[in-house]
Amino acid sequence: MEELVKRKDMVVDTTDTIISSYKKHGYALSIQAIYSELYGLEIELIVEILGQLRDKNVLSLSEKSSLQKLFESGGIDFIKGMRSEILNR
């Protein structure tokens, strides 16, 4: 139980740090900045934080999805598949 509380605190603290940076920079927080903040965390935490950022309208759905795919795949190779999907429409 204590571990879950620590995990939740970490999610909230990281989310709050990103949001305060977001506000400090006049709502111009880039995906690269969010990536830098989250890099090195375990994927489950990243997904929770991205969800919080989406819920608080810091990220759009497409930004959240792109960042999540980037972290899950470990690189931007997922974009190749998106390109094919877009061109086939």
Side-chain angles (χ1 to χ4, degrees):
M1 183 68 162
E2 184 178 326
E3 194 62 37
L4 288 175
V5 172
K6 286 181 183 178
R7 182 180 184 87
K8 183 65 176 174
D9 287 344
M10 184 177 192
V11 169
V12 170
D13 290 344
T14 304
T15 302
D16 289 345
T17 298
I18 292 171
I19 290 173
S20 68
S21 178
Y22 175 74
K23 289 178 180 178
K24 178 182 172 183
H25 291 94
Y27 300 100
L29 188 63
S30 67
I31 289 178
Q32 293 89 345
I34 294 171
Y35 179 85
S36 295
E37 289 286 337
L38 300 179
Y39 184 79
L41 297 177
E42 59 186 72
I43 190 67
E44 293 82 12
L45 284 174
I46 291 170
V47 171
E48 288 182 51
I49 293 166
L50 291 174
Q52 290 284 318
L53 292 172
R54 172 66 186 123
D55 291 345
K56 295 181 181 203
N57 294 317
V58 174
L59 290 176
S60 68
L61 182 57
S62 64
E63 290 170 328
K64 176 195 176 287
S65 298
S66 295
L67 277 165
Q68 187 170 333
K69 287 179 183 178
L70 178 63
F71 281 109
E72 288 172 346
S73 69
I76 60 171
D77 290 336
F78 72 91
I79 293 175
K80 292 177 186 173
M82 290 173 58
R83 179 176 177 256
S84 299
E85 185 178 314
I86 291 168
L87 292 175
N88 291 330
R89 287 184 181 182

